[in-house]
Amino acid sequence: MLRRQDLEAMDFEELWLLHEELTKILAEKITVEKRELEKRLAQLNQPDQFGEAERRAASAGTSEPPRRKYPKVVPKYFNPLQPTETWSGRGKQPRWLVAALQSGHTLEEFRIRENGESSDRNAGGQGH
């Protein structure tokens, strides 16, 4: 190993040749080190491909992850006063249904009958 005194004793030509040699050796070592790091990075990213894409989308700012698709829900109940108003039986009950239930009607009175089902009651509960 060269000491500082040895370096100071060298003339300009020798120092410049040493500099060029060191630059070449360093460039080779940097290239080898870079390849090794790229290999390690590829190994780390490989099993986690899907999770990484989700993390990138989440960290992209205000963009939210895509919502889950839900199947179309068929309505089970209808408003006899306004037949286009229906309710699937899920979630909060609509105001028209709450009002009807409070006035003494039963939920079954508002059920949409499928073809072939016999109903001994009036389908809409309009008689009340």
Side-chain angles (χ1 to χ4, degrees), residues 30-106:
I30 287 171
T31 305
V32 169
E33 185 74 20
K34 186 177 174 184
R35 278 193 208 122
E36 289 298 317
L37 290 172
E38 286 172 348
K39 283 180 190 174
R40 286 179 55 195
L41 186 61
Q43 287 175 345
L44 290 172
N45 283 339
Q46 193 174 17
D48 195 21
Q49 261 178 328
F50 299 107
E52 184 64 30
E54 290 172 4
R55 274 196 292 271
R56 269 192 239 131
S59 66
T62 59
S63 63
E64 296 179 15
R67 291 190 61 161
R68 187 176 129 204
K69 293 184 179 181
Y70 291 94
K72 183 75 175 164
V73 179
V74 187
K76 293 181 184 174
Y77 306 96
F78 76 104
N79 181 357
L81 303 176
Q82 194 79 17
T84 56
E85 292 181 350
T86 58
W87 181 53
S88 66
R90 295 184 180 182
K92 190 175 178 181
Q93 292 177 336
R95 289 184 183 138
W96 58 263
L97 183 60
V98 172
L101 293 174
Q102 287 175 347
S103 67
H105 293 280
T106 63

